[in-house]
Amino acid sequence: MNWIDHKTYIEVFPPKEFNFQECLIFLGRSHQEILHKIKEGTLYKLLKVEDAIIFCKISYTSDSIRVKFPISKPSSYHREKVGEYIWEWFDLEQDLQGFYQMAESDKVLNLIVDKYYGLRIMCIPDLFEALVWAIIGQQINLTFAYTLKERFVEEFGEFITFQGENYWVFPSFEVISTLNVEDLKKLQFTTRKAEYVIGIAKDMKSRILTKKMLLEKQDYHEVKKALMNIRGIGPWTADYVMMKSLHETSSFPIADVGLHNALKTILGLKEKPTIEEIKEYAANWEGWQAYATFYLWRLLYDKEI
DNA sequence: ATCCAGGAACTGT
DNA sequence: ACAGTTCATGGA
């Protein structure tokens, strides 16, 4: 992490290939998002670091991301943790030169990489949040997925109020592990999804599943296998979580409907491409499938904004 | 009303 | 290993 601690605020320095505004467009894709707010180019988010609740005001100035703390000043230890969160959230560890080099000569990606230059995968550093969000999103439209997430967070998460508005942190697996299926069905989770979410919360509480243990595995297939071993996690969810929480640039949620629609749009196809056709388009994406997917997703938000 | 949504588990072969 | 079925409900 490249950062400076100024005590009253922190400054995080992204690599050269970075465009804060592009990232904000992705973060602002849904008005139903409950885990952050964007106002006049500034991002507001509530973080929980161990037992400390930290409210952050995040903005970009010339060449750095500045994080201020409008409510209370965190300790030195907590400021560093906030910096690490920002570093992960914006996926700042990646060197994108390889991706852009590959994309330049790629039939599909060359159509969009210049347009979205500096966009990074907006990650979900909290593994539990990434897993739950993926499971919520399985087989339902995004609008309803956000509605379910909103109910879930407002029912089981913590919040603070700042200038008349509430800011939430995602519920912890400790809390969710104590629930029963009915508690989630009330929020209109299906029985299956309720079982999956609670099961994962229990696995994480008992440390059968940790982010650390997944990150320690070196091989992509080994991580994917470990994830798919968990009930509720199939190929799509495994790749989605590897992309959004584990910074695995080779992950490729190839069955993703959003990806299919994006390809259909950008290539002017009559029908959504088949998996086999996508594999052909992706022949040169090796090592960067996650970024290719994310850039194609970004295409879908141009219309709405 | 009809189709499908950022799938996965389960069942039968 | 693979195909078909079930789950289950809101949004466009």
Side-chain angles (χ1 to χ4, degrees), chain A residues 19-87:
Chain A
N19 185 326
F20 188 69
Q21 289 308 320
E22 276 301 334
C23 294
L24 282 196
I25 289 171
F26 182 84
L27 290 177
R29 72 201 159 132
S30 171
H31 304 294
Q32 292 176 275
E33 178 59 64
I34 192 173
L35 296 177
H36 58 257
K37 285 185 177 41
I38 301 171
K39 293 185 176 183
E40 296 157 4
T42 301
L43 184 54
Y44 297 85
K45 185 170 180 64
L46 188 64
L47 293 181
K48 187 166 187 183
V49 178
E50 287 150 39
D51 280 332
I53 292 275
I54 304 167
F55 183 59
C56 303
K57 178 181 179 182
I58 304 153
S59 51
Y60 189 77
T61 44
S62 67
D63 63 344
S64 71
I65 300 169
R66 291 190 186 194
V67 185
K68 296 182 180 178
F69 310 104
I71 292 182
S72 61
K73 190 180 139 186
S75 68
S76 162
Y77 172 77
H78 288 135
R79 289 196 299 275
E80 182 167 5
K81 290 292 179 186
V82 169
E84 286 170 4
Y85 187 94
I86 299 292
W87 193 257

Side-chain angles (χ1 to χ4, degrees), chain A residues 45-248:
Chain A
K45 185 170 180 64
L46 188 64
L47 293 181
K48 187 166 187 183
V49 178
E50 287 150 39
D51 280 332
I53 292 275
I54 304 167
F55 183 59
C56 303
K57 178 181 179 182
I58 304 153
S59 51
Y60 189 77
T61 44
S62 67
D63 63 344
S64 71
I65 300 169
R66 291 190 186 194
V67 185
K68 296 182 180 178
F69 310 104
I71 292 182
S72 61
K73 190 180 139 186
S75 68
S76 162
Y77 172 77
H78 288 135
R79 289 196 299 275
E80 182 167 5
K81 290 292 179 186
V82 169
E84 286 170 4
Y85 187 94
I86 299 292
W87 193 257
E88 266 206 65
W89 193 16
F90 289 88
D91 203 27
L92 299 179
E93 192 66 28
Q94 305 294 348
D95 181 351
L96 297 189
Q97 288 183 37
F99 172 63
Y100 289 132
Q101 202 173 345
M102 175 277 286
E104 213 170 295
S105 58
D106 184 83
K107 284 180 187 168
V108 178
L109 299 178
N110 81 81
L111 304 171
I112 50 174
V113 282
D114 292 337
K115 197 170 166 189
Y116 304 139
Y117 185 85
L119 172 66
R120 284 169 179 272
I121 293 179
M122 292 313 302
C123 292
I124 305 176
D126 175 1
L127 177 66
F128 182 60
E129 181 187 334
L131 285 163
V132 173
W133 176 232
I135 287 167
I136 285 176
Q138 288 169 3
Q139 187 62 13
I140 58 173
N141 61 73
L142 264 184
T143 307
F144 186 48
Y146 272 108
T147 301
L148 286 180
K149 173 167 132 177
E150 201 171 357
R151 291 177 187 160
F152 184 75
V153 171
E154 289 184 343
E155 186 75 24
F156 304 110
E158 294 179 59
F159 73 100
I160 58 102
T161 303
F162 177 71
Q163 293 180 346
E165 295 194 86
N166 292 340
Y167 293 84
W168 294 85
V169 286
F170 197 77
S172 68
F173 56 77
E174 285 91 349
V175 170
I176 304 305
S177 68
T178 67
L179 303 182
N180 52 51
V181 170
E182 293 305 318
D183 295 325
L184 293 181
K185 285 189 77 171
K186 272 185 250 166
L187 310 183
Q188 283 179 287
F189 280 56
T190 62
T191 307
R192 293 254 172 96
K193 285 187 183 182
E195 289 169 357
Y196 300 162
V197 166
I198 294 167
I200 285 168
K202 286 180 175 168
D203 283 350
M204 291 192 73
K205 190 180 181 185
S206 64
R207 300 287 165 190
I208 291 171
L209 173 65
T210 65
K211 184 171 174 179
K212 186 167 175 287
M213 101 191 192
L214 294 174
L215 286 171
E216 279 167 359
K217 298 185 192 297
Q218 282 305 311
D219 183 50
Y220 164 85
H221 295 286
E222 204 186 329
V223 180
K224 188 165 176 176
K225 205 163 38 170
L227 282 167
M228 286 178 60
N229 227 2
I230 299 163
R231 187 159 180 269
I233 303 182
W236 177 83
T237 304
D239 273 308
Y240 181 85
V241 168
M242 289 166 76
M243 169 188 186
K244 296 281 279 189
S245 199
L246 303 177
H247 310 282
E248 175 53 72

